Amino acid sequence: MKPAPFEYVAPDSLDGALAAMQQHGFDAKPLAGGQSLVPVMNFRLAQPGVLIDLNGVPGLDGIWQTSDGTLHFGSMVRQSRLERDPLVAQHQPLLAEALPHIAHPQIRNRGTFGGSLAHADPAAELPLICVALNGRIKLQSTTGERWIAARDFYTSLFTTDIGDEELLVEIALPPLPAGTGTAFTEMARRHGDYALSGVAAVVTVDGSGVCTAARLVYLNAGEVPMVAEQAAQMLVGERPSEEIWLETAVAASQNEIDPRGDIHATADYKRHLAKVLTIRALKQAFARAGN
Amino acid sequence: MLKSQSVYRIDAPGKVTGETMYAGDITPDNLLHGKVVFSNQPHARMIAMDTSAAEAVPGVVAILTAKDVPMNGYGLSGPDQPVLVGLGSSNPHADISRWEGDHVAIVIAETETAAAQARSLIQIEWEQLPIIGSMEEALKDAVIIQPWHGSNVLKKYQIRKGDMAAGWDEADIILESTYHLPYQEHAFLQPEAGIGYIDDKGRVTVEVGGQWAHEDREQVAHSLALPEEQVRIIYPAIGGAFGGKEDMSLQIVLGLAAMRLHERGINRPVRIIWTREESIFGHHKRHQATVYTKWGATKEGKITAVSATVHMDSGAYAYTSPKVLGNFHLMVTGPYEIPNAHIDSYAITTNNVPGGAFRGFGGPQGAFAAETQMNKLAEALGISPVDIRLKNVLREGSLLTVQTPPPPGISMAEVVERCAQEAGWNSEQYSGNGGQSPISNFRSPFNSIQSLPGNPQTLRKGRGIACSFKNVGFSFGAPENCEAIIEIHGTAEIERVVLRHAAADVGQGTHTALKQMAAAAVGVDMNLVELDMSDTATSRNSGSVSASRMTFMAGNAIRGAAEAALTAWASEDRPAIGHYKYIPPGTEPYDAETGVCMPNFSYGYVAEAVELTVDIETGHIYVEKVVCANDVGKAINPMLIEGQIEGAVVQAHGYALMENLVVKDGRILNPYLSQYLIPGIKDVPEIVQSVIMEVPDPIGPWGARGMAEMPFLPLAPAIVAAVHDATGVWFDEIPLTPSRVVAKLREKD
């Protein structure tokens, strides 16, 4: 199918883009990589009156590090660049690890960091990674700008805290504390499809190997990236062991996620898979934290 | 003499450059656009239909309904399906929609948009009838779906051979299983598309993708009540078929549209292109089936008796189900000599999507049951799966369950031995780990798929083997022949040779192989051969591209035509024209009581060995290697054969592991390729090793046998055997989705 008729605006500056957002407000959708928006428009699940194309807006495609070690990303950075960027690989290996799981290379060549975050698909990898890494998101409009924690950004299915006139312009990922290890894993029925389940683990250990902080976040397990707070807390104060990973994985998969059964797998299987993947992710994250 | 040669496909340059025209690409001036209106009713009686709002849409040219169809019933097994379900036609049963994919109207308009808009405005009042969505329900015969037939058992066959009581007595082991086989969607690259018009000789002409131009012509002529000469079918390039284009999709409705428009003084071509959703919704599937079976064997591994009951869901209309059931019935005992057999097979009418032709034609379902039984017996008796097969396979002089021998050239034992040898699998080497020991030095297959290595403690490696045979050509007494015309042009020397033939090149490369054979038969270079193909106006009946038959049948027809043309050439005829109709040895239908018959005139033989890894925690299965030994008799074009083997393996891989058509209460719930998963490049087996064997078929052209379906048959049972080897668990139902695998493995624990 083809999309419903829409107006197309191609601003050549951020100010122009923000002005267009202000002018068209609720009726407008910013177009980034178009890898989710265009298909839903073709299915007519979305029928924006105006498309504001950000591809001609300069200054949104940078990756830079500030003195406190935080990595900053313009919202239009392509996913394929994140996948290959040496700064990302060095400072945010979790992000680099998750990237190859996003669909196929052709899609990552067009798809953007900010576009995926704003689309807010709970089965997508980038929202989960941002939540797991305590990422912050910068929203800007003609009247000002604000930063919001990724975790607070997601409110429900495909829904975020972004205002009608706001643009997502930047993402900031703080440096990982010393002694931190990360891991991401997921399983799809077919390579490149949305995963049946997936988990990011971020753990920090002290000099003696005791866990001081832990975070577990799941995709395709609820309406937003699902943070298993209580389960992760079980790790704190403990030394890593097969037993504690299993207990944590059971608690997280039973109590803190809400996967739905579909034609590909039962909800029961998805919980089981989340448990298995949690153990694998924790094992790997702790191994990396130790190094 | 014919030399095996991997010449490039003659259709490749056009397809690679985009010059090739598929039916949906043909865009003449003045084109009208059509949409098929589906009933969306698995079982309902039409009370009234109002097309007035639709007709009022600007740009709508015509809306055709049941009353516009001269003979409102068609079908490859008899005219059981209305062309258009509705009121006022010649067919008293046409007021009932028996399948959600039944057509109720054709909307013809100036634009696709107008046609689609009009389609949405057609108002139909239906009286709901009970939807029979399962074979169990259908067998009660409480609701008869086809009243003209009087029962929901569309077809039954039986086999009675030997003395069952004696057979069970001789057995040291009796093994009983129930197998469930799923639907499969053809998922060809090109969804159905076509164009209908009146040609310069006044013939109703349809250009469309199909598998048998002359059968299409017969079906169109019948439905339009025209003599066959008044109908012309042309096949432009076809993007895959696999049996899914054997039955009618757009052929009749396009012919109907052209004819009715012409009668109204509108002489404009009409084109219809189905979307993927319409395609999945609108054509038949591989049959879902249940097999209840019991095998007895001596402790040495000799089969003593087999009983089986086959239930095959043929859906709302017959399509080719009676013939598919015939094959299934024969294949359910595998390529083995079974001394005592008692088989009852039923094709059952339901309100589900019709089952029909699909690569293997009932063979894969039969092979799954037979080969899994064989592998279970091997395990239970502690005999290698290779050895137990060699003790039982058909050999020269063996009798089938239908009590006649297969034709000479039986290579099953050689094929099994070769496959085992190429796969490094002989009885000494064989030792499955039976799910006991994890693989320590196993290289993770996940690479790009998994960021984390699987837990090595949960990876289990296994291997499995299976073998099959499959008929070449039409079976059980169906009329079987193939015609070819060869013209030799020149004066003193042969300057060019023209082959006129109806064979459909559905993507398998048959035109290339036919050209090679024509060159060999006349004794000229391939460059001198010109083709005039797949047009009923110029070529004679070839029969379908199905049943792995075209190389065999056309090869023999071409040899005959070439001989006749060369004789004419020697008599100074210019051009020298030879026409030949090849008729193979006759076959016979099943005897109603005992099943005794001569079922087929030729077979192909195949064996496959699989190596795979199961992640027992996640249930994911990674197939590392498939070795396929396939006896093709004579490899006309080895490269095309490898393509067929690899394609069949990938398609069967999907059948075994991924493809899951969800049909509930007569409705397909996932008619999308985003929801019905076929394997992608990173899901298919890492290595497919094609072992092409050449044991000549004595009556095949240059010894060739058919081969394109065969590699599909053994893969699913070989995978199931390998999964058992890896985990110690037998799976009697496919596809082996992760969810299903984990659930079953947990049952074991």
Side-chain angles (χ1 to χ4, degrees), chain B residues 383-407:
Chain B
I383 302 174
S384 116
V386 175
D387 291 347
I388 196 169
R389 285 181 166 78
L390 293 176
K391 282 180 209 273
N392 291 286
V393 289
L394 295 164
R395 295 170 190 269
E396 302 292 342
S398 297
L399 294 185
L400 295 160
T401 51
V402 291
Q403 303 184 43
T404 55

Side-chain angles (χ1 to χ4, degrees), chain B residues 148-225:
Chain B
W148 60 90
H149 188 66
S151 160
N152 291 331
V153 174
L154 177 73
K155 192 79 197 174
K156 185 196 173 189
Y157 294 118
Q158 52 187 51
I159 284 172
R160 303 287 181 265
K161 180 189 181 191
D163 178 343
M164 291 306 288
W168 299 131
D169 275 353
E170 285 168 43
D172 297 306
I173 179 172
I174 294 174
L175 210 145
E176 200 167 349
S177 308
T178 301
Y179 297 103
H180 296 285
L181 287 313
Y183 286 113
Q184 189 179 22
E185 153 64 23
H186 305 80
F188 27 66
L189 277 174
Q190 178 208 19
E192 291 81 349
I195 181 165
Y197 56 92
I198 306 297
D199 79 354
D200 54 1
K201 293 202 167 62
R203 289 174 290 209
V204 170
T205 304
V206 179
E207 297 196 43
V208 67
Q211 294 183 232
W212 185 355
H214 288 77
E215 175 67 29
D216 286 1
R217 182 174 73 167
E218 190 183 321
Q219 294 283 333
V220 173
H222 164 83
S223 300
L224 303 187

Side-chain angles (χ1 to χ4, degrees), chain A residues 43 97-98 100-101 104-105 108 182-193 196 242 262-273 275-277 279-285 288, chain B residues 446 448-456 458-459 615-620 622 657-660 662 669-670 672-680 682-683 735 737-740 742-743 746:
Chain A
F43 282 117
E97 189 166 50
H101 292 276
H104 305 282
R108 299 196 290 275
T182 63
F184 173 80
T185 187
E186 69 169 45
M187 276 286 183
R189 278 200 62 207
R190 175 170 61 183
H191 179 80
D193 284 4
L196 297 169
E242 299 272 352
D262 58 25
I263 61 168
H264 299 305
T266 60
D268 182 45
Y269 173 79
K270 288 181 181 178
R271 279 189 200 280
H272 166 82
L273 187 58
K275 182 190 83 179
V276 168
L277 297 181
I279 295 169
R280 291 180 185 181
L282 285 174
K283 187 175 182 177
Q284 192 75 37
R288 289 168 176 168
Chain B
F446 304 160
S448 57
I449 302 173
Q450 290 304 113
S451 54
L452 298 184
N455 178 357
T458 69
L459 296 179
D615 184 329
I616 59 167
E617 275 188 337
T618 66
H620 282 251
Y622 305 89
L657 296 175
M658 296 183 81
E659 300 184 29
N660 191 21
V662 184
L669 301 185
N670 54 341
Y672 316 98
L673 291 181
S674 59
Q675 299 278 303
Y676 177 84
L677 305 186
I678 62 172
K682 291 199 165 179
D683 306 299
T737 59
S739 195
R740 173 171 285 149
V742 164
R746 282 156 125 195

Side-chain angles (χ1 to χ4, degrees), chain B residues 718-732:
Chain B
I719 284 176
V720 162
V723 170
H724 171 266
D725 184 37
T727 65
V729 173
W730 287 110
F731 286 83
D732 293 346

